[in-house]
Every structure is written in structure tokens, then in C-alpha cells.
Amino acid sequence: MKKALIVWGGWDGHEPEQVASIFASALREHAFEVEVSDTLEAFADAEKLLGLDLIVPVWTMGTIEQKFVNNVSAAVQAGTGLAGCHGGMCDSFRNNVDWQFMTGGQWVAHPGNDGVEYKVEIIANSSPLVEGIEDFYVKTEQYYLHVDPAVEVLATTRFPVVDGPHRLNKPVDMPVVWTKRWGVGRVYYNSLGHHADIVDLPPVKEMMTRGMLWAAEGKRLAVESLGENARIDSNYTGMGDSQ
């Protein structure tokens, strides 16, 4: 049985408890042992995190102790999957660039705020994670992000849709869904999910479920292919200037 840890909290406007419940139910349907916590102290036990298959943060804004980020980072580098959505993963800790480097991006704006209708465009043949999912429209926040150029983009949205200081620039296709690697760990992100009802939309829930399962599978594959070497990067200190 795979083990997952979901940690929710931060800004209540993103309905973190409800979103965490949706994720927990989806994982339990796939026979995961799921622990749900509402405190960042859940990241305090480094060895426990190393033993997990998946970590799902649902925490918008706030601050985090650097040692907790280091513990999560070491676990993911060693093969534990990391998956999340919206501000719950890529607007979690605005003052921690290590977290942003690991997750692959950071929210910077949502022009028009909530209620903007826009199209999510699936990149055909980009990944089995989006196979069979068609383009769809949503009416919610449209996330403008600063994104790691190393990510593998699976879905995008076109900016601009509404007015803002970005409007006179050329149109850009902003990533909505991506994957990346952190050490030998798999990282999955979906920018949709302002409220629980958006997470529960069929295409969004399906993508999130596939993404969480994909991220969790990386642990087994890493151990099978690398054995103990899967932990080789867990003490990486190349980001020391940010700490």
C-alpha cells in the first residue's frame, strides 16, 4: 500500500480543507494509506517523509521553517512524489525560493481576479496524463506564473483575456499543467483549483488524480533502478545563498 501525506492550511479563501478532502478520497480509491494534517509540523520528521510515496501540499501563502522545506526537498530528491494545484503548491511560501525551485513555478497575478472565463488547451500527445482529455473552458482565476523553463508542459491557457499591464505585450501561452523532476522524484502541478468546486470538475479531478498517481509511482521506479543511490542528492546544498 502506497503512503501519502496531505498537508492543508494557509489562506482559507482557497478552501484548503475541502480540497484536501477531495484529494484524500481520490487517493484512497486507489488504495493509498493517506494521512491528512493541518500543520506544517507534518514536515518536521525527515525520515518519515523519506518513507512516503507522495506529498500533497494544499497550503496557500504563509511562511515555513527552512528545515521543513529542506526535509520535503530531500524526500522528493530521493523519489517521494510531490503533487498539488493552484496556490496550494505554487503560491505556498512567497519568501522561499527553494520551494519555488522545487515546485517549478510561482504565482504572480490573476488578471481579472475570480470569474474570468478562459480556455484550457491540452497539448495533444504530450503525455498519458492528459490522454483522452479534451480542451475545456472554466470560469475562475486565470493564473499568470513565473515558470521553470525545464518543466514539461501538458496544458496551457492564452493571455491576455482581460485588461491589465500585461495586455500590450504579445499574446502568450501560459502553462496550466506541468511535470518536472527534482532529483529522482516526480513533481506534478495544475494551476486550476481556486475553490473546491473547480478541483471537483471532472477534467480537473481526473488530471489531478492521474498526476498524483504518476508522482507517487516515481518512488518505486527510483528504488528499482537506482537502489540506495536514489538518495544520492538528498543533501544538496547548492541553494545556500537563499537560506
Side-chain angles (χ1 to χ4, degrees), residues 26-27 38 65 69 101 108 127 161 168 181 188 208 210 226:
L27 289 170
D38 64 355
E65 292 187 42
V69 176
F101 192 11
V108 293
S127 168
V161 173
L168 293 182
R181 304 303 175 100
Y188 176 89
M208 280 304 309
R210 292 185 191 182
L226 299 174

Side-chain angles (χ1 to χ4, degrees), residues 73 75-82 89 98-105 127-129 148-153 178-189 214-222 225-226 233:
S73 177
V76 179
Q77 288 180 56
T80 300
L82 183 70
M89 190 165 107
D98 294 349
W99 184 270
Q100 296 164 22
F101 192 11
M102 175 175 62
T103 58
S127 168
L129 295 179
D148 182 348
V151 303
E152 297 290 334
V153 181
W178 69 68
T179 62
K180 65 170 288 185
R181 304 303 175 100
W182 189 248
V184 297
R186 294 177 169 187
V187 178
Y188 176 89
Y189 177 70
W214 172 84
E217 185 66 10
K219 182 66 169 286
R220 180 185 65 81
L221 296 175
S225 62
L226 299 174
D233 288 330

Side-chain angles (χ1 to χ4, degrees), residues 133-148:
I133 297 175
E134 303 292 333
D135 296 349
F136 60 97
Y137 283 88
V138 290
K139 193 171 185 179
T140 183
E141 289 181 341
Q142 186 185 32
Y143 259 23
Y144 205 104
L145 299 125
H146 287 171
V147 180
D148 182 348

Side-chain angles (χ1 to χ4, degrees), residues 40-46 49 64-75 96 98-99 243:
L40 294 176
E41 290 290 333
F43 296 146
D45 188 337
L49 298 184
I64 187 171
E65 292 187 42
Q66 185 61 44
K67 66 180 180 180
F68 293 169
V69 176
N70 293 347
N71 290 347
V72 175
S73 177
N96 195 289
D98 294 349
W99 184 270
Q243 300 175 9

